[in-house]
Amino acid sequence: RRKLRPIRAFAGAKGIGRFSCDRLGERLALTTKRLGKDATIESIEVDWTDFEKSARTQFGRVLVSHSSLAKSPLTHPHGTKLEITKLRSKWDRPKLLRLKRSLEKLINPAETDEEKSFSVKIQAVDELPADKAFAKDSPERINGIIKNTVFERLKLKTTEVHVSVAKDGATVTTTLNDRGDKIYSITEVNTSGLHDITFSLFNLDPTAKANFTRLMGVEPVNFGSIFMYKNGFRIYPFGEVGDDSLGLDKRKAQGWSRNLGTRELIGRIEIHGANENLKETSSRVGGLIRNESYDALIDLFKEKALHRLEKYVVDVIRWGAEIEDPVTGERR
């Protein structure tokens, strides 16, 4: 893992995956093979009940079965396979659909080619007959590659603001589009101290909400709001249903007619590159460490994305006020 490309964040140090495997099933078979003709095929078999026999035995002292295989069970020349058996719960169709929708949120729809190093695919053979009753792009189908296209499909149906902080941190560019038409684009000197970050924020008016429900098979209020990604990986709890880490609902309560809340917004915050000052907490659902860079990130999001979207949606569309060109200052 320490030799991964620097664009990827170091992951897998908190034991979350280990406990997740234990939660899903009693046994785990892990097989891995490095790239190369002389690479060995290593296999580890874990029985999680062995770790429950004595509370006095340290986790690292419980023995697991290890072996080297002569033939690889992998479908690729190299990689790692995790096979979980003796499942602790039944995976019926409703549960698989919930899994699919959760995985859709996990995937950043705007990953660059450099970030796209893997894909997620669901293969549920027992559900293939039931899938045939739905169209290929229907959200009700379970089998297939997981994709997150909701933001791109919403572009032509609603108002969007896109903010991009340059890789060198010199400038920040804001573009406002309304149902596919560019309203304005402005480039300013960046004073936040941040770099290589983008925001995409969409307004969910009644038409956009209806279109969202039709596309995704779930109402926006039950999907989530503002998601956050770092180098393609989602950061929790941002975007979770009921989460108000950005303080949007609290702010809306102070001015319900002039502010937008999580029920009226959907979008994403993307952190690219190293950005070492923007780090996750040790808890999976703790978000980012609260420091000066985190405060600068939230302030920049509100100033360049949220406030400008609100000014257009509330003042111009809702109340019919004139719009002021951010570049020339002219009103029209």
Side-chain angles (χ1 to χ4, degrees):
R1 292 180 305 188
R2 299 184 182 277
K3 295 182 180 179
L4 289 174
R5 291 176 300 173
I7 194 170
R8 281 292 186 196
F10 182 82
K14 304 168 192 167
I16 297 169
R18 180 185 67 203
F19 290 121
S20 298
C21 291
D22 187 0
R23 174 65 181 85
L24 290 172
E26 288 187 11
R27 300 197 176 187
L28 167 68
L30 186 153
T31 306
T32 186
K33 180 180 182 298
R34 295 175 59 188
L35 184 63
K37 294 182 179 179
D38 300 328
T40 58
I41 307 164
E42 305 297 333
S43 175
I44 292 177
E45 294 186 2
V46 182
D47 186 341
W48 296 112
T49 60
D50 292 341
F51 296 83
E52 303 167 3
K53 293 178 179 179
S54 174
R56 295 179 178 275
T57 304
Q58 293 184 4
F59 193 94
R61 294 185 177 275
V62 179
L63 299 179
V64 297
S65 175
H66 168 258
S67 60
S68 297
L69 306 180
K71 184 178 180 181
S72 174
L74 305 179
T75 56
H76 296 278
H78 64 99
T80 301
K81 175 184 178 181
L82 279 72
E83 184 177 1
I84 301 172
T85 55
K86 299 192 71 174
L87 301 182
R88 301 186 186 275
S89 61
K90 181 180 180 181
W91 285 81
D92 53 14
R93 189 171 183 86
K95 192 169 184 178
L96 288 170
L97 281 173
R98 290 197 299 271
L99 170 65
K100 178 183 176 182
R101 288 165 182 164
S102 179
L103 290 172
E104 286 172 347
K105 301 175 192 178
L106 178 68
I107 297 173
N108 183 2
E111 277 188 312
T112 64
D113 291 336
E114 291 180 330
E115 292 173 338
K116 290 180 180 177
S117 59
F118 67 91
S119 61
V120 180
K121 180 180 181 180
I122 293 181
Q123 283 185 297
V125 179
D126 293 342
E127 301 300 331
L128 286 173
D131 280 352
K132 293 181 180 179
F134 303 97
K136 289 185 177 180
D137 59 347
S138 172
E140 298 301 316
R141 288 178 69 103
I142 292 176
N143 286 273
I145 299 292
I146 302 296
K147 296 180 180 180
N148 187 350
T149 61
V150 61
F151 297 107
E152 280 58 40
R153 293 187 183 186
L154 281 172
K155 276 189 177 179
L156 300 180
K157 304 293 183 180
T158 188
T159 307
E160 173 209 5
V161 63
H162 181 79
V163 180
S164 176
V165 182
K167 289 186 177 181
D168 60 4
T171 60
V172 54
T173 301
T174 305
T175 303
L176 179 71
N177 298 298
D178 189 2
R179 291 164 179 80
D181 297 326
K182 181 187 288 187
I183 305 302
Y184 67 76
S185 182
I186 177 174
T187 299
E188 305 163 280
V189 175
N190 177 33
T191 59
S192 68
L194 302 174
H195 65 279
D196 209 5
I197 291 172
T198 56
F199 308 131
S200 293
L201 192 59
F202 299 82
N203 171 52
L204 290 176
D205 57 18
T207 301
K209 288 181 179 179
N211 184 53
F212 183 99
T213 303
R214 179 181 62 82
L215 291 172
M216 301 301 294
V218 61
E219 295 179 345
V221 67
N222 295 319
F223 183 84
S225 184
I226 313 299
F227 299 87
M228 183 180 291
Y229 301 91
K230 184 172 183 182
N231 293 321
F233 288 111
R234 185 180 166 192
I235 299 175
Y236 289 85
F238 297 97
E240 286 292 277
V241 176
D243 174 69
D244 192 30
S245 297
L246 300 176
L248 301 182
D249 289 336
K250 181 179 180 180
R251 180 172 170 273
K252 181 176 175 62
Q254 299 171 350
W256 65 270
S257 63
R258 65 179 183 272
N259 297 332
L260 300 176
T262 55
R263 287 174 172 262
E264 300 156 295
L265 295 168
I266 191 169
R268 61 184 182 266
I269 298 173
E270 300 168 72
I271 305 169
H272 309 285
N275 266 305
E276 295 180 355
N277 291 330
L278 295 171
K279 293 182 178 180
E280 288 186 76
T281 64
S282 58
S283 169
R284 179 178 176 271
V285 293
L288 295 176
I289 296 175
R290 269 57 173 176
N291 53 25
E292 291 184 4
S293 294
Y294 174 82
D295 293 338
L297 176 71
I298 302 305
D299 290 343
L300 186 67
F301 168 77
K302 291 180 177 179
E303 178 187 353
K304 303 300 183 183
L306 179 61
H307 293 172
R308 286 177 173 173
L309 182 65
E310 284 179 337
K311 186 171 182 60
Y312 181 80
V313 170
V314 177
D315 294 351
V316 178
I317 297 179
R318 188 178 298 174
W319 303 119
E322 293 182 332
I323 183 172
E324 180 178 306
D325 191 306
V327 180
T328 64
E330 297 180 356
R331 302 183 69 84
R332 52 188 172 86

